[in-house]
Amino acid sequence: GKNATQVETSILSSTCTMLARLFTLALALGAALAFQPAARPMRAAVRMSAAKDTAAATAAAALVLAGAAPAFAAGDIGNGATVFSANCAACHAGGNNVIQAEKTLRKDALVSYLSGGFKEESIVYQVTNGKNAMPAFGGRLSDEEIDDVASYVYDQANGAKWD
């Protein structure tokens, strides 16, 4: 049978997947509504779950206590493009940002807004942990998928390849 940790991990994974799907649906609806005339600008609000916050805090504490920084390996850009299309393009198609228009995935914006500077490790951190309106994908994507999508985003931005 499953132990308590496996059950908690399974429940957390299912909850994260459900929240990610609801968020994606809300973003799609919000994008559709953005093209309708509005009396005043709309802002998207995102609430992070206590379970997700606890999981992130536990992982961060484990790294601090171990005295280790997460290992970074360059990802597969081709697979990163596939991961991006399936998970990121709803908000970031063509390197844009449908929630906060100025925070694109172009190099100049990433240099200005990305915590830790313009490097793949900083992209990995933000994709894993989220920031502001961007949800954390650490519970939804594998470490390898996150490395791959970070390599793809970095390559697109660094080479001015976004359409």
Side-chain angles (χ1 to χ4, degrees):
K2 292 184 175 183
N3 66 31
T5 303
Q6 290 172 321
V7 171
E8 286 177 14
T9 301
S10 178
I11 291 170
L12 181 59
S13 177
S14 296
T15 302
C16 289
T17 300
M18 181 182 70
L19 288 173
R21 287 181 180 157
L22 287 173
F23 184 73
T24 302
L25 178 63
L27 288 175
L29 180 59
L33 291 175
F35 293 101
Q36 301 297 319
R40 60 188 174 86
M42 291 184 265
R43 294 185 64 172
V46 175
R47 295 184 190 267
M48 303 306 281
S49 71
K52 191 184 292 184
D53 291 344
T54 302
T58 302
L63 287 173
V64 170
L65 292 174
F72 180 77
D76 178 322
I77 293 170
N79 188 54
T82 302
V83 173
F84 185 90
S85 293
N87 297 278
C88 313
C91 293
H92 293 292
N96 295 310
N97 185 327
V98 300
I99 304 298
Q100 293 182 296
E102 72 280 4
K103 294 187 177 181
T104 70
L105 300 181
R106 288 171 176 73
K107 185 175 182 178
D108 59 340
L110 292 176
V111 167
S112 297
Y113 298 113
L114 191 62
S115 298
F118 179 64
K119 55 188 176 188
E120 286 185 51
E121 294 93 328
S122 301
I123 298 168
V124 166
Y125 183 83
Q126 184 156 329
V127 171
T128 303
N129 299 293
K131 183 178 178 184
N132 300 324
M134 181 173 163
F137 283 85
R140 180 174 177 193
L141 300 175
S142 70
D143 290 346
E144 182 178 346
E145 289 171 318
I146 291 172
D147 285 345
D148 292 350
V149 80
S151 293
Y152 170 74
V153 168
Y154 183 85
D155 180 68
Q156 290 291 110
N158 203 39
K161 298 177 182 178
W162 293 116
D163 294 331

PDB file of all heavy atoms in Angstrom, residues 45-64:
ATOM      1  N   ALA A  45      -6.536  38.185 -10.337  1.00  0.00           N
ATOM      2  CA  ALA A  45      -6.076  37.873  -8.991  1.00  0.00           C
ATOM      3  C   ALA A  45      -5.798  36.384  -8.910  1.00  0.00           C
ATOM      4  O   ALA A  45      -6.550  35.583  -9.432  1.00  0.00           O
ATOM      5  CB  ALA A  45      -7.130  38.265  -7.959  1.00  0.00           C
ATOM      6  N   VAL A  46      -4.710  36.035  -8.263  1.00  0.00           N
ATOM      7  CA  VAL A  46      -4.348  34.634  -8.107  1.00  0.00           C
ATOM      8  C   VAL A  46      -4.155  34.368  -6.626  1.00  0.00           C
ATOM      9  O   VAL A  46      -3.480  35.111  -5.934  1.00  0.00           O
ATOM     10  CB  VAL A  46      -3.034  34.315  -8.868  1.00  0.00           C
ATOM     11  CG1 VAL A  46      -2.596  32.895  -8.603  1.00  0.00           C
ATOM     12  CG2 VAL A  46      -3.221  34.561 -10.340  1.00  0.00           C
ATOM     13  N   ARG A  47      -4.776  33.321  -6.137  1.00  0.00           N
ATOM     14  CA  ARG A  47      -4.596  32.927  -4.739  1.00  0.00           C
ATOM     15  C   ARG A  47      -3.801  31.631  -4.723  1.00  0.00           C
ATOM     16  O   ARG A  47      -4.138  30.685  -5.415  1.00  0.00           O
ATOM     17  CB  ARG A  47      -5.943  32.700  -4.057  1.00  0.00           C
ATOM     18  CG  ARG A  47      -6.762  33.959  -3.943  1.00  0.00           C
ATOM     19  CD  ARG A  47      -8.043  33.657  -3.174  1.00  0.00           C
ATOM     20  NE  ARG A  47      -8.929  34.784  -3.259  1.00  0.00           N
ATOM     21  CZ  ARG A  47      -8.975  35.756  -2.358  1.00  0.00           C
ATOM     22  NH1 ARG A  47      -8.185  35.729  -1.324  1.00  0.00           N
ATOM     23  NH2 ARG A  47      -9.810  36.750  -2.485  1.00  0.00           N
ATOM     24  N   MET A  48      -2.765  31.617  -3.952  1.00  0.00           N
ATOM     25  CA  MET A  48      -1.941  30.421  -3.844  1.00  0.00           C
ATOM     26  C   MET A  48      -2.497  29.571  -2.703  1.00  0.00           C
ATOM     27  O   MET A  48      -2.889  30.085  -1.668  1.00  0.00           O
ATOM     28  CB  MET A  48      -0.484  30.794  -3.550  1.00  0.00           C
ATOM     29  CG  MET A  48       0.118  31.735  -4.588  1.00  0.00           C
ATOM     30  SD  MET A  48      -0.014  31.139  -6.260  1.00  0.00           S
ATOM     31  CE  MET A  48       1.326  29.988  -6.256  1.00  0.00           C
ATOM     32  N   SER A  49      -2.519  28.271  -2.877  1.00  0.00           N
ATOM     33  CA  SER A  49      -3.048  27.397  -1.841  1.00  0.00           C
ATOM     34  C   SER A  49      -2.032  27.224  -0.713  1.00  0.00           C
ATOM     35  O   SER A  49      -0.831  27.312  -0.919  1.00  0.00           O
ATOM     36  CB  SER A  49      -3.381  26.025  -2.430  1.00  0.00           C
ATOM     37  OG  SER A  49      -2.186  25.340  -2.733  1.00  0.00           O
ATOM     38  N   ALA A  50      -2.535  26.967   0.467  1.00  0.00           N
ATOM     39  CA  ALA A  50      -1.661  26.755   1.623  1.00  0.00           C
ATOM     40  C   ALA A  50      -0.777  25.532   1.410  1.00  0.00           C
ATOM     41  O   ALA A  50       0.395  25.529   1.782  1.00  0.00           O
ATOM     42  CB  ALA A  50      -2.495  26.592   2.890  1.00  0.00           C
ATOM     43  N   ALA A  51      -1.334  24.505   0.785  1.00  0.00           N
ATOM     44  CA  ALA A  51      -0.548  23.291   0.547  1.00  0.00           C
ATOM     45  C   ALA A  51       0.628  23.585  -0.386  1.00  0.00           C
ATOM     46  O   ALA A  51       1.741  23.124  -0.158  1.00  0.00           O
ATOM     47  CB  ALA A  51      -1.433  22.206  -0.057  1.00  0.00           C
ATOM     48  N   LYS A  52       0.394  24.360  -1.430  1.00  0.00           N
ATOM     49  CA  LYS A  52       1.457  24.694  -2.376  1.00  0.00           C
ATOM     50  C   LYS A  52       2.504  25.559  -1.687  1.00  0.00           C
ATOM     51  O   LYS A  52       3.696  25.374  -1.876  1.00  0.00           O
ATOM     52  CB  LYS A  52       0.864  25.426  -3.588  1.00  0.00           C
ATOM     53  CG  LYS A  52       1.847  25.573  -4.730  1.00  0.00           C
ATOM     54  CD  LYS A  52       1.290  26.364  -5.877  1.00  0.00           C
ATOM     55  CE  LYS A  52       0.181  25.654  -6.581  1.00  0.00           C
ATOM     56  NZ  LYS A  52      -0.294  26.391  -7.749  1.00  0.00           N
ATOM     57  N   ASP A  53       2.053  26.543  -0.877  1.00  0.00           N
ATOM     58  CA  ASP A  53       2.989  27.397  -0.148  1.00  0.00           C
ATOM     59  C   ASP A  53       3.835  26.561   0.809  1.00  0.00           C
ATOM     60  O   ASP A  53       5.038  26.762   0.925  1.00  0.00           O
ATOM     61  CB  ASP A  53       2.240  28.473   0.652  1.00  0.00           C
ATOM     62  CG  ASP A  53       1.590  29.520  -0.247  1.00  0.00           C
ATOM     63  OD1 ASP A  53       1.959  29.591  -1.437  1.00  0.00           O
ATOM     64  OD2 ASP A  53       0.726  30.256   0.249  1.00  0.00           O
ATOM     65  N   THR A  54       3.205  25.616   1.504  1.00  0.00           N
ATOM     66  CA  THR A  54       3.914  24.764   2.446  1.00  0.00           C
ATOM     67  C   THR A  54       4.937  23.893   1.727  1.00  0.00           C
ATOM     68  O   THR A  54       6.070  23.752   2.178  1.00  0.00           O
ATOM     69  CB  THR A  54       2.921  23.870   3.224  1.00  0.00           C
ATOM     70  OG1 THR A  54       1.990  24.725   3.896  1.00  0.00           O
ATOM     71  CG2 THR A  54       3.632  22.997   4.236  1.00  0.00           C
ATOM     72  N   ALA A  55       4.540  23.338   0.591  1.00  0.00           N
ATOM     73  CA  ALA A  55       5.470  22.497  -0.171  1.00  0.00           C
ATOM     74  C   ALA A  55       6.674  23.307  -0.638  1.00  0.00           C
ATOM     75  O   ALA A  55       7.812  22.846  -0.553  1.00  0.00           O
ATOM     76  CB  ALA A  55       4.749  21.877  -1.371  1.00  0.00           C
ATOM     77  N   ALA A  56       6.443  24.521  -1.122  1.00  0.00           N
ATOM     78  CA  ALA A  56       7.544  25.376  -1.581  1.00  0.00           C
ATOM     79  C   ALA A  56       8.451  25.755  -0.420  1.00  0.00           C
ATOM     80  O   ALA A  56       9.677  25.736  -0.539  1.00  0.00           O
ATOM     81  CB  ALA A  56       6.994  26.629  -2.267  1.00  0.00           C
ATOM     82  N   ALA A  57       7.854  26.089   0.717  1.00  0.00           N
ATOM     83  CA  ALA A  57       8.644  26.459   1.888  1.00  0.00           C
ATOM     84  C   ALA A  57       9.476  25.276   2.380  1.00  0.00           C
ATOM     85  O   ALA A  57      10.637  25.435   2.764  1.00  0.00           O
ATOM     86  CB  ALA A  57       7.733  26.967   3.004  1.00  0.00           C
ATOM     87  N   THR A  58       8.899  24.085   2.371  1.00  0.00           N
ATOM     88  CA  THR A  58       9.612  22.886   2.799  1.00  0.00           C
ATOM     89  C   THR A  58      10.807  22.611   1.887  1.00  0.00           C
ATOM     90  O   THR A  58      11.905  22.314   2.351  1.00  0.00           O
ATOM     91  CB  THR A  58       8.664  21.670   2.811  1.00  0.00           C
ATOM     92  OG1 THR A  58       7.568  21.968   3.688  1.00  0.00           O
ATOM     93  CG2 THR A  58       9.364  20.414   3.271  1.00  0.00           C
ATOM     94  N   ALA A  59      10.593  22.732   0.581  1.00  0.00           N
ATOM     95  CA  ALA A  59      11.682  22.503  -0.374  1.00  0.00           C
ATOM     96  C   ALA A  59      12.790  23.530  -0.187  1.00  0.00           C
ATOM     97  O   ALA A  59      13.971  23.193  -0.198  1.00  0.00           O
ATOM     98  CB  ALA A  59      11.142  22.545  -1.802  1.00  0.00           C
ATOM     99  N   ALA A  60      12.409  24.794  -0.004  1.00  0.00           N
ATOM    100  CA  ALA A  60      13.407  25.851   0.199  1.00  0.00           C
ATOM    101  C   ALA A  60      14.185  25.610   1.489  1.00  0.00           C
ATOM    102  O   ALA A  60      15.409  25.759   1.526  1.00  0.00           O
ATOM    103  CB  ALA A  60      12.731  27.219   0.229  1.00  0.00           C
ATOM    104  N   ALA A  61      13.481  25.232   2.548  1.00  0.00           N
ATOM    105  CA  ALA A  61      14.141  24.970   3.832  1.00  0.00           C
ATOM    106  C   ALA A  61      15.114  23.801   3.710  1.00  0.00           C
ATOM    107  O   ALA A  61      16.213  23.842   4.268  1.00  0.00           O
ATOM    108  CB  ALA A  61      13.099  24.680   4.912  1.00  0.00           C
ATOM    109  N   ALA A  62      14.717  22.770   2.978  1.00  0.00           N
ATOM    110  CA  ALA A  62      15.599  21.614   2.799  1.00  0.00           C
ATOM    111  C   ALA A  62      16.895  22.019   2.100  1.00  0.00           C
ATOM    112  O   ALA A  62      17.972  21.577   2.481  1.00  0.00           O
ATOM    113  CB  ALA A  62      14.880  20.522   1.997  1.00  0.00           C
ATOM    114  N   LEU A  63      16.794  22.888   1.101  1.00  0.00           N
ATOM    115  CA  LEU A  63      18.000  23.357   0.401  1.00  0.00           C
ATOM    116  C   LEU A  63      18.890  24.177   1.323  1.00  0.00           C
ATOM    117  O   LEU A  63      20.107  24.030   1.323  1.00  0.00           O
ATOM    118  CB  LEU A  63      17.618  24.191  -0.830  1.00  0.00           C
ATOM    119  CG  LEU A  63      17.061  23.418  -2.005  1.00  0.00           C
ATOM    120  CD1 LEU A  63      16.577  24.385  -3.085  1.00  0.00           C
ATOM    121  CD2 LEU A  63      18.100  22.481  -2.574  1.00  0.00           C
ATOM    122  N   VAL A  64      18.280  25.057   2.113  1.00  0.00           N
ATOM    123  CA  VAL A  64      19.053  25.893   3.039  1.00  0.00           C
ATOM    124  C   VAL A  64      19.743  25.027   4.083  1.00  0.00           C
ATOM    125  O   VAL A  64      20.929  25.183   4.353  1.00  0.00           O
ATOM    126  CB  VAL A  64      18.146  26.958   3.700  1.00  0.00           C
ATOM    127  CG1 VAL A  64      18.876  27.655   4.825  1.00  0.00           C
ATOM    128  CG2 VAL A  64      17.674  27.963   2.664  1.00  0.00           C
TER     129      VAL A  64
END
